[in-house]
């Protein structure tokens, strides 16, 4: 290398050398050149290169060399670079050490150095230490700048103190710092984090008036923060405001919103935004396509996702491994393995190499189909292609075998793994234990846990929770409690899932006093109940007719900052109805409608409708039924069954018939018992013609016994089906002997019934009848 080689040339070479060790070799060799001496720029470039690649030992040696060659007062920028390099690798203590050594080596930190270390401490949650650094800076007479205030604002927001951050924002001008959009957006994000959307929106408007639109990078950080929280609607509001002021979003903005829409299950909105990208002069990149396709696959719209894959290729955007694996996994989850293989073959033709994720998806897909031979073929194909048989693949294979009931094969595979040096982990055992518990073989699962423990595999909380759930579902509560005792032996504390499982098991076993005792014991041992815990407790209290205590539990959960959900209020409403307090339940039902953020569901409507039906009040039941659709709650089969029952019990068979026919027309097929109830009512009134219409409606809608499907000739099927339906209803005790005799004679006398059929329009306009076939 020529002695005429200048420091700026060396810095350029170092900067463009990707390998930090090779760059260091160049740095050291150039020192031997006659007349060459490293400058601050070459040292700084080399130290940044080493730090960015995590080569901290040579970086520290180079910093020590630099101190000997350079004026210490000029080295602050190098120290700040080292602090940031350590910070990017999570080495907070090492970064602090660099900062503390600055003064020792005669480099007085400026506000920039203080800002660097404070920002790092805040990023990693060391808020108190960051505040101490700030106080130390002020004591040294160093004036804070805009960045200092922004860091402190971020600290307040991260510690859930957005109002304190707002006061600090207001004080910036008193310290000679001009308000800017970055500081404003930090406070706005803090308010959104605490669900104070109104205050956040007002502050955003204030920012637009005071500072104008934030730059696109600052705005992107804010909306990205909101979209990650699921606040996509608020993000849209902010975007609309900046667009009206002439701001131009970039592709990163689009990608944030596409991801936000997909996370919020608004894939159609994401597709619409994608389609508008070209009109804005932007070109979608691989992130845009991948995010949209992942969202479509999550909604099981894999064919649409594949169309976007073709569009991606047509527009010259190269798919990556994530792209292909997303489509392949999507088809496998739909059970369409041939389509997944078709996509894979096309990808391989274009240079894609199937990886571990690809084969895991295919193995999962074949397992869902129960095609174990193909599962094993996929596994050995992966091995043949040089894919390392990692635990992920083995666990996927074990899961596939276990879920299809091939437990012995799964255990054999685990034994083979160990022989070949690929040792299973506790999660492998958890998969098999979980499958055994689902099959009801809880004792075998417990024995497998003993085997795993004897081999040195330490069970985790999931292992124990799975066994506890298995025993509870078999109503073997004592054995489930024994498992909890074993947890303590392994040093594992029961978590909220453990307690919820035990509480639910006790509740289902009607051991209501033990539910309350276990709940109290949970609190005494430091357990933190969640809304599920309280819902189980409330269900237990309602079932034991302790409604006052159930409402006390509701007040307690609200006092602890938990939010009662539909399950909570549904349980209370059902408890009140079961206790005969239907009017009070209806009053609570109406009060809940007026609450912000609470929406009734079909389930809660069913509870109240059933309550009034039990009280033989069809008028209120019918009014609530009519109210459902307007509130966006579609009636289900249970709703119709309850309505039909109450009209039958109150001798209004015409209304019962109306609801029965309406139910069938909506595709909500009633049970045979419900059909039988209406048939019995018609027959008691000797209205055989209407009863026969119901039987023929059942035949027309193929609500027939299995034997009917064995009749191949259409004419014979039409004649035989009604008779076989009546016989089936009688055999299953759905109709009385009296009804059976009337119906049997009525069906045989088809011509007589047809002669007696009323003319169109004779019956009341509100009467709904099934047509005679």
């Amino acid at each position: 290398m020529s002695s005429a080689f200048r420091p700026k040339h060396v810095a350029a070479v170092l900067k463009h050398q990707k390998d930090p060790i090779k760059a260091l070799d160049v740095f050291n060799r150039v020192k031997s050149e006659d007349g060459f001496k490293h400058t601050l720029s070459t040292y700084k470039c080399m130290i940044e290169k080493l730090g960015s690649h995590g080569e901290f030992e040579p970086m520290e040696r180079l910093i020590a060399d630099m101190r000997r060659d350079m004026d210490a007062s000029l080295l602050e920028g190098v120290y700040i670079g080292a602090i940031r390099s350590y910070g990017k690798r999570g080495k907070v203590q090492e970064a602090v050490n660099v900062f503390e050594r600055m003064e020792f080596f005669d480099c007085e930190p400026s506000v920039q150095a203080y800002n660097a270390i404070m920002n790092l401490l805040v990023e990693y949650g060391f808020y108190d230490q960051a505040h101490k650094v700030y106080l130390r800076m002020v004591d040294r007479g160093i004036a804070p700048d805009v960045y200092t205030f922004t860091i402190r604002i971020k600290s307040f927001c991260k510690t859930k103190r957005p109002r304190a951050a707002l006061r600090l924002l207001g004080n910036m001008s008193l310290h000679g710092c001009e308000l800017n959009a970055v500081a404003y957006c930090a406070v706005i994000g803090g308010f959104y984090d605490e669900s104070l959307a109104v205050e956040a929106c007002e502050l955003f408007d204030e920012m637009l008036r005071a500072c104008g639109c934030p730059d696109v990078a600052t705005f992107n950080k804010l909306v990205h923060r909101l979209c990650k929280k699921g606040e996509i609607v608020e993000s849209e509001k902010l975007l609309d405001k900046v667009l009206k002021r002439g701001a131009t979003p970039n592709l990163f903005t689009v990608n944030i919103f596409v991801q936000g829409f997909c996370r919020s299950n608004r894939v159609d909105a994401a597709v619409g935004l994608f389609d508008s990208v070209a009109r804005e002069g932007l070109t979608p990149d691989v992130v845009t396509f991948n995010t949209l396709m992942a969202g479509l696959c999550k909604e099981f719209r894999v064919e649409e996702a594949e169309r976007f894959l073709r569009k991606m290729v047509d527009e010259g955007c190269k798919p990556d491994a994530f792209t292909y694996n997303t489509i392949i996994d999507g088809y496998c989850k739909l059970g369409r393995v041939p389509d997944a293989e078709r996509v894979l073959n096309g990808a391989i033709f274009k240079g894609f190499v199937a990886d571990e994720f690809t084969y895991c998806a295919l193995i999962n897909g074949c397992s869902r189909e129960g095609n174990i031979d193909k599962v094993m073929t996929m596994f050995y194909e992966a091995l043949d292609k040089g894919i390392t048989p990692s635990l992920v693949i083995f666990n996927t294979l074990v899961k596939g075998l276990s879920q299809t009931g091939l437990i012995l094969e799964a255990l054999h595979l685990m034994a083979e793994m160990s022989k070949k040096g690929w040792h299973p982990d506790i999660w492998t055992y958890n998969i098999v234990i979980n499958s055994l518990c689902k099959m009801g073989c809880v004792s075998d699962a417990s024995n497998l846990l003993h085997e795993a423990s004897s081999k040195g595999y330490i069970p985790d909380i999931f292992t124990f929770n799975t066994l506890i759930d298995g025993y509870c579902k078999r109503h073997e509560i004592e054995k489930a409690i024994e498992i909890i005792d074993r947890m303590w032996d392994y040093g594992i504390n029961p978590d909220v899932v453990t307690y919820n499982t035990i509480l639910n098991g006790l509740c289902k076993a009607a051991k209501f006093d033990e539910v309350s005792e276990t709940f109290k014991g949970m609190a005494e041992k430091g357990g933190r109940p969640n809304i599920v815990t309280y819902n189980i407790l409330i269900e237990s209290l309602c079932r034991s007719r302790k409604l006052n205590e159930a409402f006390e539990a509701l007040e307690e959960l609200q006092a602890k900052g938990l939010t009662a959900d539909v399950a909570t209020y549904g349980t209370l409403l059902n408890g009140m109805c079961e206790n005969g307090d239907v009017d009070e339940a209806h009053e609570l039902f109406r009060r809940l409608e007026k609450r912000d953020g609470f929406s009734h569901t079909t389930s809660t409507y069913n509870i109240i409708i059933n309550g009034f039906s039990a009280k033989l009040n069809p008028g209120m039941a019918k009014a609530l039924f009519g109210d459902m659709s307007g509130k966006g709650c579609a009636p289900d089969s249970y709703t119709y069954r309850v309505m039909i029952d109450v009209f039958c019990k109150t001798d209004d068979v015409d209304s019962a018939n109306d609801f029965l026919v309406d139910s069938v027309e909506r595709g909500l097929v009633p049970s045979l018992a419900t059909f039988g109830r209406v048939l019995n009512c018609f027959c008691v009134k000797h209205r055989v013609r209407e009863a026969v219409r119901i039987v023929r409606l059942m035949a027309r809608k193929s609500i027939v016994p299995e034997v009917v499907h064995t009749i191949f000739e259409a004419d014979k099927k039409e004649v035989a089906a009604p008779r076989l339906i009546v016989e089936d209803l009688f055999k299953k005790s759905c109709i009385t002997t009296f009804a059976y005799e009337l119906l049997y004679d009525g069906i045989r006398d088809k011509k007589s019934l047809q002669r007696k059929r009323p003319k169109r329009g004779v019956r009341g306009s509100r009467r709904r009848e099934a047509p005679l076939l």
Side-chain angles (χ1 to χ4, degrees):
M1 193 174 288
S2 171
S3 59
F5 210 69
R6 300 185 178 183
K8 67 177 182 180
H9 299 144
V10 174
V13 171
L14 296 175
K15 187 175 181 180
H16 288 92
Q17 175 57 256
K18 293 182 178 179
D19 188 334
I21 302 304
K22 289 181 179 179
L24 183 60
D25 182 57
V26 172
F27 181 90
N28 289 329
R29 280 190 289 113
V30 78
K31 288 192 293 187
S32 62
E33 293 293 322
D34 291 339
F36 183 85
K37 186 176 181 180
H38 280 298
T39 64
L40 181 62
S41 65
T42 55
Y43 269 115
K44 186 176 181 181
C45 185
M46 190 65 244
I47 288 169
E48 286 179 353
K49 175 74 68 176
L50 292 169
S52 65
H53 286 80
E55 299 288 347
F56 294 118
E57 287 188 15
M59 182 190 80
E60 289 287 359
R61 289 195 296 269
L62 205 59
I63 290 174
D65 292 342
M66 182 186 63
R67 291 193 194 104
R68 292 194 298 269
D69 297 341
M70 301 282 114
D71 182 352
S73 63
L74 302 176
L75 304 185
E76 183 183 36
V78 177
Y79 287 123
I80 291 173
I83 289 169
R84 288 173 178 162
S85 294
Y86 275 126
K88 288 176 182 177
R89 300 278 174 159
K91 295 180 175 291
V92 180
Q93 186 57 58
E94 289 83 348
V96 171
N97 292 342
V98 171
F99 176 77
E100 296 295 348
R101 286 199 298 265
M102 288 177 67
E103 283 187 274
F104 181 80
F105 289 107
D106 300 321
C107 181
E108 186 71 28
S110 70
V111 67
Q112 284 78 23
Y114 278 102
N115 285 345
I117 195 64
M118 279 193 292
N119 187 57
L120 176 61
L121 290 168
V122 168
E123 283 294 326
Y124 284 94
F126 297 101
Y127 307 114
D128 291 339
Q129 290 87 338
H131 185 61
K132 288 176 183 177
V133 171
Y134 171 75
L135 294 177
R136 176 172 155 188
M137 181 185 82
V138 174
D139 287 342
R140 298 283 177 90
I142 300 172
D145 61 9
V146 172
Y147 191 42
T148 315
F149 277 101
T150 305
I151 294 166
R152 295 193 68 215
I153 285 169
K154 182 165 62 174
S155 177
F156 281 131
C157 291
K158 285 194 169 191
T159 51
K160 302 183 183 300
R161 294 182 288 169
R163 299 192 192 283
L166 182 60
R167 288 194 296 273
L168 192 60
L169 181 71
N171 291 333
M172 284 178 65
S173 57
L174 300 176
H175 290 78
C177 297
E178 186 178 352
L179 291 172
N180 62 21
V182 175
Y184 263 110
C185 285
V187 182
I188 292 164
F191 275 107
Y192 275 122
D193 286 344
E194 297 306 303
S195 301
L196 300 170
V198 175
E199 292 91 332
C201 205
E202 289 175 353
L203 192 59
F204 191 85
D205 291 337
E206 180 186 313
M207 177 192 70
L208 294 178
R209 291 191 298 269
C211 309
C213 280
D215 62 76
V216 68
T218 305
F219 179 74
N220 284 347
K221 286 180 182 178
L222 177 60
V223 293
H224 189 228
R225 187 172 175 176
L226 287 176
C227 288
K228 283 174 71 176
K229 283 181 80 263
E231 299 282 358
I232 186 68
V233 175
E234 287 297 322
S235 299
E236 288 179 279
K237 289 179 184 176
L238 301 188
L239 178 63
D240 186 55
K241 289 180 179 182
V242 298
L243 289 176
K244 286 178 179 176
R245 288 178 171 258
T248 304
N250 59 14
L251 185 60
F252 188 58
T253 319
V254 172
N255 289 346
I256 290 169
F257 275 91
V258 169
Q259 185 182 58
F261 284 131
C262 291
R263 282 181 173 174
S264 303
N265 300 319
R266 294 175 56 191
V267 182
D268 288 329
V271 171
L273 179 60
F274 180 93
D275 292 339
S276 69
V277 166
R279 294 195 298 270
E280 299 295 330
L282 300 172
T283 303
D285 62 5
V286 67
V287 175
T288 322
F289 278 105
N290 283 353
T291 306
L292 183 59
M293 285 188 280
L296 287 165
C297 289
K298 182 183 172 185
E299 296 287 314
F300 302 108
R301 295 161 62 176
V302 189
E303 290 179 351
E304 287 182 63
E306 190 179 357
R307 284 200 292 273
F308 275 100
L309 171 60
R310 291 193 290 269
K311 181 180 178 68
M312 182 181 187
V313 174
D314 292 343
E315 294 184 1
C317 185
K318 187 177 180 181
D320 59 13
F322 182 88
T323 318
Y324 289 118
N325 283 335
T326 297
I327 306 294
I328 291 166
D329 185 54
Y331 274 126
C332 287
K333 284 178 177 174
L334 285 176
R336 294 170 59 177
V337 178
D339 285 313
E341 291 177 310
R342 172 180 53 76
V343 173
L344 174 60
N345 292 333
I348 291 172
F349 181 76
K350 293 173 183 175
F352 170 67
V353 178
D355 57 17
E356 180 181 78
F357 186 91
T358 317
Y359 280 101
C360 282
L362 290 168
I363 289 170
N364 269 326
C366 293
S367 298
R368 282 189 174 89
E369 292 181 339
N371 192 342
I372 298 304
D373 291 338
K374 196 164 185 178
V375 165
M376 299 307 298
T377 300
M378 289 288 179
F379 174 69
Y380 289 117
E381 182 181 313
L383 299 185
D384 290 342
K385 291 190 176 179
I387 294 176
T388 305
S390 69
L391 264 175
V392 176
I393 288 185
F394 273 121
N395 286 350
T396 303
L397 187 54
V398 169
K399 182 179 177 183
L401 292 169
S402 300
Q403 287 180 339
T404 50
L406 300 174
I407 302 295
L408 292 177
E409 287 81 352
L411 293 172
H412 177 71
L413 178 66
M414 290 165 64
E416 289 297 311
M417 287 169 62
S418 298
K419 287 179 184 178
K420 294 179 180 179
W422 305 316
H423 297 290
D425 60 3
I426 190 57
W427 185 246
T428 320
Y429 281 97
N430 285 347
I431 291 168
V432 184
I433 288 170
N434 186 44
S435 295
L436 285 168
C437 287
K438 286 182 176 178
M439 293 167 63
C441 305
V442 190
S443 297
D444 292 329
S446 185
N447 293 336
L448 186 59
L449 171 59
H450 283 296
E451 180 186 323
S453 300
S454 66
K455 291 181 179 179
Y457 297 102
I458 308 300
D460 58 16
I461 188 69
F462 182 85
T463 321
F464 289 112
N465 284 347
T466 301
L467 283 170
I468 289 167
D469 183 58
Y471 279 122
C472 285
K473 283 178 177 174
R474 291 177 61 84
H475 303 295
E476 298 181 44
I477 307 298
E478 292 76 12
K479 290 185 178 179
I481 293 171
E482 287 175 12
I483 297 292
I484 293 182
D485 294 334
R486 286 171 62 185
M487 291 175 69
W488 299 108
D489 295 337
Y490 284 94
I492 298 174
N493 296 328
D495 62 3
V496 69
V497 176
T498 317
Y499 280 110
N500 287 350
T501 305
I502 288 287
L503 288 168
N504 191 50
L506 291 169
C507 185
K508 294 294 183 285
K511 298 184 178 182
F512 305 124
D513 291 338
E514 292 181 42
V515 171
S516 298
E517 289 174 11
T518 305
F519 180 84
K520 290 175 184 175
M522 176 184 182
E524 289 170 0
K525 291 178 181 178
R528 298 182 63 182
N530 59 15
I531 190 61
V532 176
T533 322
Y534 275 102
N535 285 348
I536 297 168
L537 175 65
I538 289 171
E539 181 186 354
S540 172
L541 293 169
C542 287
R543 288 179 63 187
S544 57
R545 307 292 193 199
K546 297 178 180 178
L547 290 177
N548 290 335
E549 292 181 34
F551 277 97
E552 287 173 6
L554 173 64
E555 292 175 2
E556 182 181 318
L557 75 89
Q558 290 171 335
K560 289 188 175 180
L562 298 172
T563 303
D565 57 14
V566 171
T568 317
Y569 288 113
T571 303
L572 285 167
L573 290 169
N574 189 62
M576 295 170 77
C577 290
E578 290 286 333
N579 201 45
D581 303 328
V582 181
D583 291 330
E584 290 83 349
H586 184 242
E587 185 180 335
L588 174 60
F589 180 87
R590 291 305 180 194
R591 283 205 309 270
L592 291 172
E593 286 182 322
K594 298 175 183 177
R595 290 197 179 180
D596 292 336
F598 186 87
S599 299
H600 280 300
T601 62
T602 299
S603 176
T604 51
Y605 267 101
N606 284 348
I607 290 166
I608 298 298
I609 290 172
N610 186 56
F612 280 113
S613 298
K615 285 283 187 179
L616 300 181
N617 188 340
M620 283 298 298
K622 191 171 183 179
L624 285 161
F625 182 92
D627 189 46
M628 288 180 72
S629 298
K631 299 292 176 63
C633 300
D636 58 13
S637 298
Y638 179 83
T639 323
Y640 277 101
R641 180 174 71 78
V642 171
M643 294 302 302
I644 293 166
D645 283 354
V646 71
F647 285 119
C648 287
K649 288 175 182 176
T650 54
D651 202 29
D652 186 356
V653 66
D654 291 317
S655 293
N657 182 59
D658 288 344
F659 275 93
L660 181 73
V661 175
D662 189 46
S663 173
V664 174
E665 288 178 354
R666 287 173 180 257
L668 300 171
V669 180
S671 66
L672 292 180
T674 302
F675 276 109
R677 199 165 290 121
V678 180
L679 289 169
N680 285 330
C681 288
F682 272 130
C683 289
V684 165
K685 292 177 177 292
H686 293 279
R687 294 169 61 177
V688 183
R689 182 174 59 215
E690 289 93 329
V692 170
R693 284 196 180 94
I694 292 174
V695 174
R696 297 198 180 281
L697 172 66
M698 293 174 70
R700 183 161 56 88
K701 294 291 184 180
S702 297
I703 307 167
V704 295
E706 191 63 34
V707 67
V708 174
H709 299 298
T710 64
I711 304 172
F712 296 105
E713 293 182 34
D715 291 342
K716 290 183 179 180
K717 184 179 292 188
E718 183 179 350
V719 172
R723 177 177 59 80
L724 293 172
I725 290 170
V726 172
E727 290 178 355
D728 189 54
L729 288 167
F730 183 63
K731 286 178 184 177
K732 293 177 179 175
S733 302
C734 295
I735 56 175
T736 64
T737 303
F738 177 71
Y740 169 73
E741 291 173 351
L742 288 179
L743 284 168
Y744 202 85
D745 290 341
I747 288 168
R748 288 198 306 170
D749 195 16
K750 179 179 177 182
K751 292 182 179 179
S752 172
L753 287 172
Q754 286 177 329
R755 287 196 298 271
K756 294 177 182 178
R757 184 186 300 176
K759 295 180 181 179
R760 191 179 301 274
V762 169
R763 302 195 64 86
S765 60
R766 298 179 65 186
R767 183 80 52 82
R768 303 187 66 175
E769 298 179 349
L772 267 172
L773 297 183

